[in-house]
Every structure is written in C-alpha cells, then in structure tokens.
Amino acid sequence: MEGIELYPHNQKAYDNLCAMLRDSNRACVVQPTGTGKFVIIAKMAQDNPGKNFLLLGTNDYMYIDQMANLSDIAPGFTPKNLQFMTYATAMAKARRGDEIPRCDVIVADEFHHCGAPEWGKGVQYVVENNPDAKIVGFSATPIRYSDKGRNMADEMFVGNIASSMELEEAWLDGVLPMPKYVIALYDAPKELGELKVSIEKVREKKKYSKFVKKYEEYSILRLLRNGTKNETGSKRRGRSDL
C-alpha cells in the first residue's frame, strides 16, 4: 500500500487542518472544485487508521468517482475506516429515528448544503448521535447565495477556516488550468443577412465601394454570397470564419 502524497497546496491545507483540530472540534477547508479536496479526506483516514470517519456528501456517484480517482493516486489503498452517507439518507434516518453509525470524525463534503432546511436536519441528527466526534468540512464556497448569503463556515464551524483558496488564486498558481473563453455568434446568419440587405440598398458608388473594402477584410461579403447558395453551409462557414 502506498502512502498518499499531497500536492503542495493540499499539504498546506492538510497541515493547517490537523493543527486546528488539535485545539478545536470543528474546522473546514475552502478551496475550488477540482483542487483535490477528497484526497485530503483520504489522507486523514490513512493517517488515522484507528479512527472511524463518516463522510456526508451529495450523491453516491460522486463518491464512486472520487474513490476511482483515489485508486490511481494511491494504488492498493482503500480506506476501510471511511463510510459514506448522502445528505438525503441522513435526512431520511432523522425522520425515522434510525440508528447512526458511531464515528470519531464527521466529514461534510460541500458543507454549504448543511444549511438546507431538510438536509440540515439530517446533518444535525448525525452530529447529535456522535457528540464527541470532530466535524470537518470541505467546500468550494461556504456562502449560501440563495439563502440570504448565509456563511456556513461561520454557522457550522464557528469561523474555523483552516485553509482558504480563491478560484483566481488556483488559476494563477497553476493549481487549475486557466479557462479559455470561446465566444460564438450563433445568430450570425441572421445578422449577415440583414447586413446584406443594408449594403444592397446603398446606391452611391463611393459609399458602396467603402462598404465592400471594409467588409471584405473580414470575408463577410464572401460569407454573404455563399449564404445565398446554401443556408446550412453559410451557418457553418459563418461561425468558423468569425
């Protein structure tokens, strides 16, 4: 079994998290999606084999995908001391009064969901049934913008943010790839068609020639001419050339 090696930004978050948990029962990490939050969780489970972890998350599919990625990062390692439960399952157990697994650490993935009216009841039920457990949270944002801007880092973790990274910081530091924005003019055929009609209305030769010279630079007149032959083809060429 290989030990999990963290990238520098996650190692820093992990060290800060462990240090904060030595003095407090609650702490969270805030960093963008795709920066490896689940690997930190797995590292905690690996470094504390004698403790039971209960991970609360949004859905089973995400957990399965995370575990598959973990097998590539740490071949041969499967965290036996890590259980998974969806927020919806926790909510259902709370309604029925079902038994909750005993655990030493409760991990809330995407912990901003803990502020939801019904899912929040499930989280509270899990916490109440494990009064001595430490509570750890991970999220790309602690703010519930659709809920009057509630800050779940303050509400759930009393402001104990062990590590925080903004999306822009992740881009600049090379943790995440810089996005490439592609602008597509989907209504180009319509726009070009209207432009063609406007040009045809120009009667003065000098003005007409100015239009021709200006728009030939961008191959727009060629697009217009081709567009009169094949509407479908003009749409494809119009998007490509623009």
Side-chain angles (χ1 to χ4, degrees), residues 6 28 68 79 93 123 139 148 175-176 178 192 241:
L6 300 175
C28 66
K93 286 183 177 294
V123 175
S139 181
K148 298 181 179 180
V175 176
L176 292 176
M178 191 72 72
L192 295 176
D241 290 348

Side-chain angles (χ1 to χ4, degrees), residues 1-201:
M1 180 186 71
E2 294 186 17
I4 296 175
E5 293 187 10
L6 300 175
Y7 286 116
H9 68 281
N10 281 333
Q11 186 65 56
K12 179 181 178 181
Y14 180 76
D15 292 341
N16 291 346
L17 182 62
C18 292
M20 186 170 283
L21 289 173
R22 284 194 287 269
D23 299 321
S24 176
N25 285 331
R26 300 194 178 207
C28 66
V29 171
V30 177
Q31 59 186 53
T33 301
T35 55
K37 297 189 291 292
F38 181 75
V39 183
I40 298 177
I41 299 170
K43 177 69 171 174
M44 290 182 66
Q46 187 178 60
D47 288 352
N48 297 275
K51 294 183 178 181
N52 292 319
F53 291 74
L54 177 61
L55 173 61
L56 299 174
T58 55
N59 60 75
D60 294 296
Y61 303 105
M62 182 177 293
Y63 178 69
I64 293 171
D65 185 58
Q66 290 169 332
M67 289 298 293
N69 291 334
L70 180 62
S71 65
D72 295 331
I73 297 170
F77 172 62
T78 301
K80 302 294 185 183
N81 57 336
L82 177 63
Q83 298 184 66
F84 177 75
M85 181 185 298
T86 65
Y87 288 116
T89 298
M91 175 190 68
K93 286 183 177 294
R95 290 175 176 175
R96 296 190 299 261
D98 291 349
E99 184 177 352
I100 295 295
R102 291 289 177 262
C103 57
D104 302 295
V105 182
I106 298 169
V107 182
D109 189 23
E110 305 297 345
F111 68 80
H112 55 277
H113 290 300
C114 296
E118 297 304 319
W119 281 10
K121 294 176 184 177
V123 175
Q124 187 61 33
Y125 185 70
V126 171
V127 172
E128 290 174 351
N129 278 271
N130 289 280
D132 298 324
K134 290 184 178 292
I135 304 173
V136 180
F138 293 84
S139 181
T141 173
I143 308 300
R144 291 181 57 83
Y145 293 101
S146 60
D147 196 7
K148 298 181 179 180
R150 291 170 60 194
N151 189 329
M152 297 310 298
D154 290 338
E155 289 189 27
M156 192 171 180
F157 298 97
V158 293
N160 287 341
I161 301 178
S163 180
S164 178
M165 176 186 290
E166 297 293 335
L167 181 58
E168 293 82 1
E169 182 181 352
W171 288 339
L172 293 175
D173 291 347
V175 176
L176 292 176
M178 191 72 72
K180 294 181 179 179
Y181 292 96
V182 178
I183 300 175
L185 186 58
Y186 290 104
D187 57 351
K190 178 183 176 182
E191 296 273 348
L192 295 176
E194 293 175 353
L195 181 59
K196 179 176 181 293
V197 172
S198 298
I199 292 175
E200 289 175 345
K201 290 181 179 179

